[in-house]
PDB file of all heavy atoms in Angstrom:
ATOM      1  N   LEU A 789     -14.727  15.259  -0.863  1.00 93.00           N
ATOM      2  CA  LEU A 789     -13.670  16.228  -0.613  1.00 93.00           C
ATOM      3  C   LEU A 789     -14.232  17.337   0.253  1.00 93.00           C
ATOM      4  O   LEU A 789     -15.329  17.853  -0.010  1.00 93.00           O
ATOM      5  CB  LEU A 789     -13.159  16.824  -1.929  1.00 93.00           C
ATOM      6  CG  LEU A 789     -12.334  15.919  -2.834  1.00 93.00           C
ATOM      7  CD1 LEU A 789     -12.028  16.639  -4.139  1.00 93.00           C
ATOM      8  CD2 LEU A 789     -11.043  15.497  -2.143  1.00 93.00           C
ATOM      9  N   GLU A 790     -13.488  17.708   1.273  1.00 88.00           N
ATOM     10  CA  GLU A 790     -13.970  18.764   2.157  1.00 88.00           C
ATOM     11  C   GLU A 790     -14.220  20.064   1.391  1.00 88.00           C
ATOM     12  O   GLU A 790     -15.157  20.794   1.677  1.00 88.00           O
ATOM     13  CB  GLU A 790     -12.974  18.988   3.300  1.00 88.00           C
ATOM     14  CG  GLU A 790     -12.977  17.858   4.316  1.00 88.00           C
ATOM     15  CD  GLU A 790     -12.124  18.160   5.532  1.00 88.00           C
ATOM     16  OE1 GLU A 790     -11.269  19.050   5.449  1.00 88.00           O
ATOM     17  OE2 GLU A 790     -12.326  17.493   6.574  1.00 88.00           O
ATOM     18  N   GLU A 791     -13.390  20.341   0.371  1.00 84.00           N
ATOM     19  CA  GLU A 791     -13.545  21.579  -0.396  1.00 84.00           C
ATOM     20  C   GLU A 791     -14.846  21.590  -1.188  1.00 84.00           C
ATOM     21  O   GLU A 791     -15.368  22.648  -1.526  1.00 84.00           O
ATOM     22  CB  GLU A 791     -12.363  21.773  -1.333  1.00 84.00           C
ATOM     23  CG  GLU A 791     -12.250  20.724  -2.428  1.00 84.00           C
ATOM     24  CD  GLU A 791     -11.001  20.896  -3.274  1.00 84.00           C
ATOM     25  OE1 GLU A 791      -9.880  20.822  -2.721  1.00 84.00           O
ATOM     26  OE2 GLU A 791     -11.149  21.093  -4.488  1.00 84.00           O
ATOM     27  N   ASP A 792     -15.387  20.399  -1.496  1.00 79.00           N
ATOM     28  CA  ASP A 792     -16.639  20.321  -2.253  1.00 79.00           C
ATOM     29  C   ASP A 792     -17.872  20.426  -1.359  1.00 79.00           C
ATOM     30  O   ASP A 792     -18.998  20.451  -1.859  1.00 79.00           O
ATOM     31  CB  ASP A 792     -16.700  19.007  -3.035  1.00 79.00           C
ATOM     32  CG  ASP A 792     -15.711  18.979  -4.185  1.00 79.00           C
ATOM     33  OD1 ASP A 792     -15.224  20.054  -4.569  1.00 79.00           O
ATOM     34  OD2 ASP A 792     -15.417  17.882  -4.688  1.00 79.00           O
ATOM     35  N   THR A 793     -17.682  20.442  -0.052  1.00 73.00           N
ATOM     36  CA  THR A 793     -18.829  20.509   0.860  1.00 73.00           C
ATOM     37  C   THR A 793     -18.951  21.867   1.526  1.00 73.00           C
ATOM     38  O   THR A 793     -19.704  22.032   2.484  1.00 73.00           O
ATOM     39  CB  THR A 793     -18.703  19.429   1.961  1.00 73.00           C
ATOM     40  OG1 THR A 793     -17.507  19.673   2.726  1.00 73.00           O
ATOM     41  CG2 THR A 793     -18.624  18.047   1.355  1.00 73.00           C
ATOM     42  N   GLU A 794     -18.221  22.846   1.000  1.00 67.00           N
ATOM     43  CA  GLU A 794     -18.234  24.171   1.616  1.00 67.00           C
ATOM     44  C   GLU A 794     -19.558  24.892   1.407  1.00 67.00           C
ATOM     45  O   GLU A 794     -19.962  25.710   2.214  1.00 67.00           O
ATOM     46  CB  GLU A 794     -17.073  25.010   1.067  1.00 67.00           C
ATOM     47  CG  GLU A 794     -15.704  24.486   1.519  1.00 67.00           C
ATOM     48  CD  GLU A 794     -14.564  25.243   0.877  1.00 67.00           C
ATOM     49  OE1 GLU A 794     -14.851  26.139   0.045  1.00 67.00           O
ATOM     50  OE2 GLU A 794     -13.405  24.952   1.181  1.00 67.00           O
ATOM     51  N   SER A 795     -20.219  24.591   0.284  1.00 60.00           N
ATOM     52  CA  SER A 795     -21.531  25.211   0.054  1.00 60.00           C
ATOM     53  C   SER A 795     -22.351  24.343  -0.876  1.00 60.00           C
ATOM     54  O   SER A 795     -21.814  23.584  -1.675  1.00 60.00           O
ATOM     55  CB  SER A 795     -21.367  26.603  -0.567  1.00 60.00           C
ATOM     56  OG  SER A 795     -20.964  26.497  -1.926  1.00 60.00           O
ATOM     57  N   SER A 796     -23.665  24.455  -0.763  1.00 56.00           N
ATOM     58  CA  SER A 796     -24.539  23.676  -1.639  1.00 56.00           C
ATOM     59  C   SER A 796     -24.400  24.137  -3.079  1.00 56.00           C
ATOM     60  O   SER A 796     -24.626  23.365  -4.010  1.00 56.00           O
ATOM     61  CB  SER A 796     -25.991  23.803  -1.177  1.00 56.00           C
ATOM     62  OG  SER A 796     -26.390  25.180  -1.197  1.00 56.00           O
ATOM     63  N   CYS A 797     -23.990  25.373  -3.294  1.00 53.00           N
ATOM     64  CA  CYS A 797     -23.800  25.897  -4.650  1.00 53.00           C
ATOM     65  C   CYS A 797     -22.721  25.114  -5.373  1.00 53.00           C
ATOM     66  O   CYS A 797     -22.891  24.724  -6.528  1.00 53.00           O
ATOM     67  CB  CYS A 797     -23.441  27.379  -4.591  1.00 53.00           C
ATOM     68  SG  CYS A 797     -23.146  28.131  -6.219  1.00 53.00           S
ATOM     69  N   ASN A 798     -21.595  24.867  -4.693  1.00 54.00           N
ATOM     70  CA  ASN A 798     -20.527  24.089  -5.301  1.00 54.00           C
ATOM     71  C   ASN A 798     -21.026  22.711  -5.702  1.00 54.00           C
ATOM     72  O   ASN A 798     -20.740  22.214  -6.787  1.00 54.00           O
ATOM     73  CB  ASN A 798     -19.356  23.924  -4.315  1.00 54.00           C
ATOM     74  CG  ASN A 798     -18.581  25.213  -4.125  1.00 54.00           C
ATOM     75  OD1 ASN A 798     -18.808  26.172  -4.834  1.00 54.00           O
ATOM     76  ND2 ASN A 798     -17.678  25.206  -3.159  1.00 54.00           N
ATOM     77  N   ARG A 799     -21.810  22.107  -4.834  1.00 53.00           N
ATOM     78  CA  ARG A 799     -22.273  20.753  -5.085  1.00 53.00           C
ATOM     79  C   ARG A 799     -23.302  20.723  -6.218  1.00 53.00           C
ATOM     80  O   ARG A 799     -23.301  19.821  -7.055  1.00 53.00           O
ATOM     81  CB  ARG A 799     -22.879  20.173  -3.798  1.00 53.00           C
ATOM     82  CG  ARG A 799     -23.343  18.739  -3.919  1.00 53.00           C
ATOM     83  CD  ARG A 799     -23.692  18.137  -2.564  1.00 53.00           C
ATOM     84  NE  ARG A 799     -24.787  18.854  -1.928  1.00 53.00           N
ATOM     85  CZ  ARG A 799     -24.663  19.635  -0.884  1.00 53.00           C
ATOM     86  NH1 ARG A 799     -23.469  19.832  -0.344  1.00 53.00           N
ATOM     87  NH2 ARG A 799     -25.710  20.248  -0.344  1.00 53.00           N
ATOM     88  N   ASP A 800     -24.172  21.717  -6.280  1.00 52.00           N
ATOM     89  CA  ASP A 800     -25.256  21.680  -7.262  1.00 52.00           C
ATOM     90  C   ASP A 800     -24.773  21.984  -8.677  1.00 52.00           C
ATOM     91  O   ASP A 800     -25.301  21.449  -9.649  1.00 52.00           O
ATOM     92  CB  ASP A 800     -26.340  22.688  -6.874  1.00 52.00           C
ATOM     93  CG  ASP A 800     -27.067  22.288  -5.598  1.00 52.00           C
ATOM     94  OD1 ASP A 800     -27.013  21.097  -5.246  1.00 52.00           O
ATOM     95  OD2 ASP A 800     -27.657  23.175  -4.976  1.00 52.00           O
ATOM     96  N   LEU A 801     -23.797  22.856  -8.816  1.00 58.00           N
ATOM     97  CA  LEU A 801     -23.394  23.305 -10.145  1.00 58.00           C
ATOM     98  C   LEU A 801     -22.273  22.485 -10.748  1.00 58.00           C
ATOM     99  O   LEU A 801     -22.116  22.440 -11.962  1.00 58.00           O
ATOM    100  CB  LEU A 801     -22.975  24.785 -10.082  1.00 58.00           C
ATOM    101  CG  LEU A 801     -24.065  25.769  -9.666  1.00 58.00           C
ATOM    102  CD1 LEU A 801     -23.513  27.189  -9.651  1.00 58.00           C
ATOM    103  CD2 LEU A 801     -25.264  25.687 -10.607  1.00 58.00           C
ATOM    104  N   LYS A 802     -21.466  21.832  -9.917  1.00 68.00           N
ATOM    105  CA  LYS A 802     -20.307  21.113 -10.423  1.00 68.00           C
ATOM    106  C   LYS A 802     -20.735  19.860 -11.165  1.00 68.00           C
ATOM    107  O   LYS A 802     -21.508  19.060 -10.665  1.00 68.00           O
ATOM    108  CB  LYS A 802     -19.377  20.744  -9.253  1.00 68.00           C
ATOM    109  CG  LYS A 802     -17.976  20.386  -9.678  1.00 68.00           C
ATOM    110  CD  LYS A 802     -17.089  20.257  -8.446  1.00 68.00           C
ATOM    111  CE  LYS A 802     -15.650  20.026  -8.852  1.00 68.00           C
ATOM    112  NZ  LYS A 802     -14.774  19.932  -7.675  1.00 68.00           N
ATOM    113  N   ASN A 803     -20.231  19.686 -12.407  1.00 78.00           N
ATOM    114  CA  ASN A 803     -20.511  18.489 -13.210  1.00 78.00           C
ATOM    115  C   ASN A 803     -22.012  18.203 -13.317  1.00 78.00           C
ATOM    116  O   ASN A 803     -22.448  17.062 -13.244  1.00 78.00           O
ATOM    117  CB  ASN A 803     -19.789  17.277 -12.609  1.00 78.00           C
ATOM    118  CG  ASN A 803     -18.303  17.492 -12.509  1.00 78.00           C
ATOM    119  OD1 ASN A 803     -17.660  17.890 -13.473  1.00 78.00           O
ATOM    120  ND2 ASN A 803     -17.739  17.262 -11.338  1.00 78.00           N
ATOM    121  N   TYR A 804     -22.803  19.268 -13.479  1.00 81.00           N
ATOM    122  CA  TYR A 804     -24.243  19.150 -13.687  1.00 81.00           C
ATOM    123  C   TYR A 804     -24.965  18.476 -12.522  1.00 81.00           C
ATOM    124  O   TYR A 804     -26.039  17.902 -12.687  1.00 81.00           O
ATOM    125  CB  TYR A 804     -24.543  18.394 -14.991  1.00 81.00           C
ATOM    126  CG  TYR A 804     -23.857  18.993 -16.192  1.00 81.00           C
ATOM    127  CD1 TYR A 804     -22.689  18.428 -16.676  1.00 81.00           C
ATOM    128  CD2 TYR A 804     -24.351  20.134 -16.812  1.00 81.00           C
ATOM    129  CE1 TYR A 804     -22.028  18.981 -17.772  1.00 81.00           C
ATOM    130  CE2 TYR A 804     -23.708  20.691 -17.897  1.00 81.00           C
ATOM    131  CZ  TYR A 804     -22.538  20.124 -18.369  1.00 81.00           C
ATOM    132  OH  TYR A 804     -21.885  20.685 -19.444  1.00 81.00           O
ATOM    133  N   GLY A 805     -24.346  18.481 -11.342  1.00 83.00           N
ATOM    134  CA  GLY A 805     -24.961  17.854 -10.180  1.00 83.00           C
ATOM    135  C   GLY A 805     -24.799  16.350 -10.125  1.00 83.00           C
ATOM    136  O   GLY A 805     -25.458  15.687  -9.326  1.00 83.00           O
ATOM    137  N   ALA A 806     -23.918  15.779 -10.959  1.00 89.00           N
ATOM    138  CA  ALA A 806     -23.712  14.330 -10.962  1.00 89.00           C
ATOM    139  C   ALA A 806     -23.205  13.870  -9.599  1.00 89.00           C
ATOM    140  O   ALA A 806     -22.238  14.400  -9.076  1.00 89.00           O
ATOM    141  CB  ALA A 806     -22.714  13.943 -12.052  1.00 89.00           C
ATOM    142  N   VAL A 807     -23.862  12.868  -9.034  1.00 90.00           N
ATOM    143  CA  VAL A 807     -23.433  12.312  -7.750  1.00 90.00           C
ATOM    144  C   VAL A 807     -22.182  11.459  -7.938  1.00 90.00           C
ATOM    145  O   VAL A 807     -21.257  11.499  -7.137  1.00 90.00           O
ATOM    146  CB  VAL A 807     -24.569  11.483  -7.111  1.00 90.00           C
ATOM    147  CG1 VAL A 807     -24.079  10.761  -5.861  1.00 90.00           C
ATOM    148  CG2 VAL A 807     -25.742  12.390  -6.775  1.00 90.00           C
ATOM    149  N   SER A 808     -22.158  10.669  -9.010  1.00 93.00           N
ATOM    150  CA  SER A 808     -20.960   9.906  -9.359  1.00 93.00           C
ATOM    151  C   SER A 808     -20.080  10.788 -10.233  1.00 93.00           C
ATOM    152  O   SER A 808     -20.518  11.273 -11.285  1.00 93.00           O
ATOM    153  CB  SER A 808     -21.337   8.628 -10.112  1.00 93.00           C
ATOM    154  OG  SER A 808     -20.176   7.944 -10.525  1.00 93.00           O
ATOM    155  N   PHE A 809     -18.845  11.004  -9.799  1.00 94.00           N
ATOM    156  CA  PHE A 809     -17.964  11.901 -10.543  1.00 94.00           C
ATOM    157  C   PHE A 809     -17.768  11.372 -11.959  1.00 94.00           C
ATOM    158  O   PHE A 809     -17.525  10.188 -12.163  1.00 94.00           O
ATOM    159  CB  PHE A 809     -16.609  12.013  -9.832  1.00 94.00           C
ATOM    160  CG  PHE A 809     -15.785  13.184 -10.309  1.00 94.00           C
ATOM    161  CD1 PHE A 809     -15.882  14.410  -9.689  1.00 94.00           C
ATOM    162  CD2 PHE A 809     -14.936  13.046 -11.390  1.00 94.00           C
ATOM    163  CE1 PHE A 809     -15.133  15.501 -10.125  1.00 94.00           C
ATOM    164  CE2 PHE A 809     -14.186  14.120 -11.845  1.00 94.00           C
ATOM    165  CZ  PHE A 809     -14.287  15.360 -11.209  1.00 94.00           C
ATOM    166  N   PRO A 810     -17.876  12.219 -12.982  1.00 95.00           N
ATOM    167  CA  PRO A 810     -17.814  11.759 -14.374  1.00 95.00           C
ATOM    168  C   PRO A 810     -16.451  11.201 -14.770  1.00 95.00           C
ATOM    169  O   PRO A 810     -15.420  11.562 -14.203  1.00 95.00           O
ATOM    170  CB  PRO A 810     -18.124  13.029 -15.177  1.00 95.00           C
ATOM    171  CG  PRO A 810     -18.792  13.955 -14.215  1.00 95.00           C
ATOM    172  CD  PRO A 810     -18.182  13.656 -12.888  1.00 95.00           C
TER     173      PRO A 810
END
Side-chain angles (χ1 to χ4, degrees):
L789 289 175
E790 288 187 341
E791 65 184 61
D792 290 343
T793 61
E794 292 175 357
S795 73
S796 59
C797 179
N798 288 351
R799 183 169 62 252
D800 292 340
L801 298 180
K802 198 171 185 179
N803 303 310
Y804 306 100
V807 173
S808 176
F809 196 91

